[in-house]
């Protein structure tokens, strides 16, 4: 392995990237656009869900309860009705996402230390929304100081019961994301996904371009070694990819307001390992492709399943064993653990050792495979 | 040191059912200009690409500068300069950047590289064009840049595949002057061409037809042997012998 040859490749690649302005702009703008676009698109936050209230008590205490719902960001009281039938109609019609039913003996029971049965009826057609509303409603009622058993159930299959005896505060705190803002969970995942996609695409064309333009023929007759060529070509993209990650991270912290709970330096270091791994995968694709079109197709074939397998959308724990196993072959899986771990939970290296080791092994293996698969021949 | 720069034994290359090069036995002496002639598709480029290690022979053996083309192709690469038929430098780099790149790839020290680049710019008359993007150059200039890059590591063997195809007469003349100068300095040159005036100045020529070697020798020797007066007539008479009367008549009438 000759450093001189490797650096010649790197320098040449830099000059070519510099001259290819449209691609350079793409490499720097696409991640930002994707994060902004998807950051809002996958926003599963529930804000100001329309609520219809059937307040049969209609007194000071019941109005206080309604107010505390209304004052949260999750519920917005839009209608007051006097009959259950009307409440049902509004929810059926989609005009309201949920309904609050306060029994006529609410205040009286409270006074006697009884257990008034307040009902929260929720449209369960979007389970994510419903889950959020159920738990938020629960929090609100508790926060209100109702230490009575109460029953909250969704009219459409969601039920909830709390049979704690009076005077005991149930501690159902939500960790990491106490306000359960989905952004907090989604943005780090998105950063990982975007970094995977952009880096693989950056290098997927790096080698096959030389093939298509005919410059490979001249390279083949030189003493350059496959490994020098591959690493030399990777280096400029590691720098561009790192810059992309900083951009995306800055946007996540300052635009989407997702603070980094853990060690920033550790995050950057581990992100670099992932970047190199993803770039190496792109390089492997580029090495085995005959045309740029083929490289593009292979990239898509890799990226699409990785979205699901990595646990970006659904938690991997709930997937069938086979699918979980497939997920372990996707480097993004480990990077998502790292990102969510450091950004949301603030965990340190001691919890991420296995992810780091696996990513490193992947990287070395992929680079080795690419350089083995690279034939210094054209037939 | 062996006398011959290149020796092939029954060198064969098949692409599927097509036999592009058929049991070729060739011997190229050191320090000489060796021209390969033949119609399009007769296997000239394929032969050169096998010798330079771009593609692998189907069967047969070959030695370049004493190294086996199958086993020691990396050693061959360190000592061989190759200009492919299709222009294969980086069009989005400047002349100087291309030369620097290949200087680095051949591990020349900075000092060596500078010296070599100066010499080659002088030789190919590229001075003043250093900062031009290769894509902005005309065909003749591009070929000179390609030659300069192929020579950057001071190779003992230079393999040129139709270096003057589509190049204006002045540039052609300059190009061949350089080739002769290199041969005088002891470089072996293997070159293909369709121009008979160029072929006549080669020390040796070989005629390929359908992947087979038809004739082989110095231009004068071939002319005498075939009892013709020019190399062009030698070429036509050989092709005629292979394909029959018809081609010759049509070709002659086309010439007249
Ligand atoms: N990579 C290849 N795949 C398939 N056929 C090829 C390939 N390269 C060359 N050929 C065929 O081999 C024959 C010889 O080609 P070539 O060596 O390029 O001829 P020449 O250089 O003498 O014009 C032609 O018929 C050509 O079509
Ligand atoms: Mg050819």
């Amino acid at each position: 392995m000759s450093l001189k040859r490797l650096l010649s490749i790197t320098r040449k690649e830099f000059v070519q990237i510099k001259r290819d302005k449209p691609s350079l702009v793409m490499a720097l703008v696409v991640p930002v656009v994707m994060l902004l676009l998807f950051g809002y698109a996958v926003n599963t936050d529930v804000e100001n869900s329309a609520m219809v209230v059937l307040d049969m008590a209609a007194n000071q205490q019941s109005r206080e309860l309604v107010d505390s719902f209304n004052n949260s960001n999750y519920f917005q009281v839009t209608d007051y009705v006097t009959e259950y039938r009307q409440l049902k109609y509004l929810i059926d019609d989609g005009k309201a996402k949920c309904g609050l039913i306060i029994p006529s003996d609410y205040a009286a029971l409270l006074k006697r230390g009884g257990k008034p049965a307040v009902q929260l009826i929720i449209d369960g057609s979007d389970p994510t929304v419903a889950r959020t509303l159920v738990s938020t409603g629960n929090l609100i009622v508790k926060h209100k100081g109702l230490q009575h058993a109460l029953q909250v159930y969704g009219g459409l299959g969601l039920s909830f019961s709390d049979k704690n005896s009076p005077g005991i505060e149930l501690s159902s705190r939500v960790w990491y994301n106490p306000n359960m803002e989905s952004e907090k969970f989604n943005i780090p995942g998105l950063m990982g996904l975007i970094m995977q996609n952009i880096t693989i695409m950056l290098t997927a064309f790096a080698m096959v371009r030389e093939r298509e333009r005919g410059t490979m023929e001249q390279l083949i007759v030189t003493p350059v070694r496959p490994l020098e060529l591959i690493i030399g070509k990777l280096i400029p993209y590691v720098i561009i990819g790192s810059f992309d990650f900083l951009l995306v991270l800055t946007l996540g912290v300052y635009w989407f307001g997702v603070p980094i709970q853990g060690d920033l330096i550790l995050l950057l270091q581990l992100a670099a390992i992932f970047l190199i791994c993803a770039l190496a995968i792109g390089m492997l694709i580029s090495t085995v492709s005959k045309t740029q079109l083929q490289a593009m197709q292979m990239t898509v074939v890799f990226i699409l399943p990785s979205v699901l397998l990595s646990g970006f959308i659904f938690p991997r724990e709930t997937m069938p064993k086979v699918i979980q196993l497939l997920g372990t072959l996707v480097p993004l899986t480990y990077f998502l653990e790292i990102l969510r771990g450091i950004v949301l939970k603030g965990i340190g290296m001691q919890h991420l050792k296995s992810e780091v080791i696996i990513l490193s092994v992947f990287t070395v293996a992929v680079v080795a495979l690419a350089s083995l698969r690279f034939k210094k021949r054209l037939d | 040191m062996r006398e011959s720069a290149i020796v092939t034994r029954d060198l064969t290359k098949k692409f599927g059912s097509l036999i592009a090069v058929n049991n070729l036995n060739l011997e190229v002496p050191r320090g000489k200009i060796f021209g390969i002639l033949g119609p399009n598709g007769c296997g000239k480029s394929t032969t050169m690409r096998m010798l330079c290690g771009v593609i692998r022979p189907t069967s047969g053996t070959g030695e370049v500068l004493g190294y086996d083309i199958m086993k020691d192709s990396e050693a061959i690469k360190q000592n061989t300069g190759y200009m492919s038929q299709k222009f294969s430098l980086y069009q989005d780099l400047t002349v100087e950047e291309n030369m620097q790149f290949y200087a680095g790839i051949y591990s020349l020290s900075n000092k060596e590289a500078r010296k070599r680049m100066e010499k080659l710019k002088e030789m190919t008359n590229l001075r003043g064009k250093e900062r031009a993007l290769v894509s902005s150059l005309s065909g003749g200039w591009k070929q000179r840049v390609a030659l300069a890059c192929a020579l950057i590591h001071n190779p003992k063997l230079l393999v040129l595949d139709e270096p003057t195809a589509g190049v204006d007469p002045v540039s052609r003349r300059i190009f061949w002057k350089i080739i002769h100068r290199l041969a005088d300095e002891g470089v072996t040159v293997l070159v293909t061409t369709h121009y008979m005036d160029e072929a006549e100045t080669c020390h040796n020529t070989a005629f390929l037809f359908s992947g087979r070697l038809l004739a082989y020798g110095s231009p004068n020797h071939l002319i005498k042997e075939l009892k013709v007066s020019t190399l062009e007539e030698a070429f036509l008479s050989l092709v005629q012998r292979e394909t029959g009367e018809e081609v010759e008549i049509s070709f002659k009438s086309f010439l007249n």
Side-chain angles (χ1 to χ4, degrees), chain A residues 4-5 8-9 12 15-16 19 210 213-215 217-223 376-379, chain B residues 13 49 54-56 74 77-78 82 86 88-90 92-93 97 101-102 104-106 108 110:
Chain A
K4 183 149 198 120
R5 286 197 290 251
S8 297
I9 301 270
K12 179 219 93 179
V15 175
Q16 287 187 303
R19 300 244 160 92
E210 302 240 9
R213 291 186 186 165
T215 49
E217 178 141 353
Q218 199 67 44
L219 269 182
I220 284 175
V221 299
T222 71
K376 249 186 103 182
R377 302 258 176 197
L378 280 182
D379 57 351
Chain B
K13 179 70 188 181
R49 295 172 92 208
V54 179
I55 55 176
R56 207 186 294 263
E74 293 305 311
K77 286 169 185 180
Q78 194 61 256
Y82 169 63
K86 184 175 174 291
S88 51
L89 295 187
Y90 298 98
D92 47 352
L93 298 191
E97 285 163 348
F101 172 67
Y102 284 104
I105 289 295
Y106 285 103
L108 267 60
N110 291 347

Side-chain angles (χ1 to χ4, degrees), chain B residues 40-41 44-46 85 161-162 192:
Chain B
N40 286 333
K44 303 183 294 293
S45 298
T46 305
Q85 183 171 356
D161 197 355
E162 296 195 30
T192 60

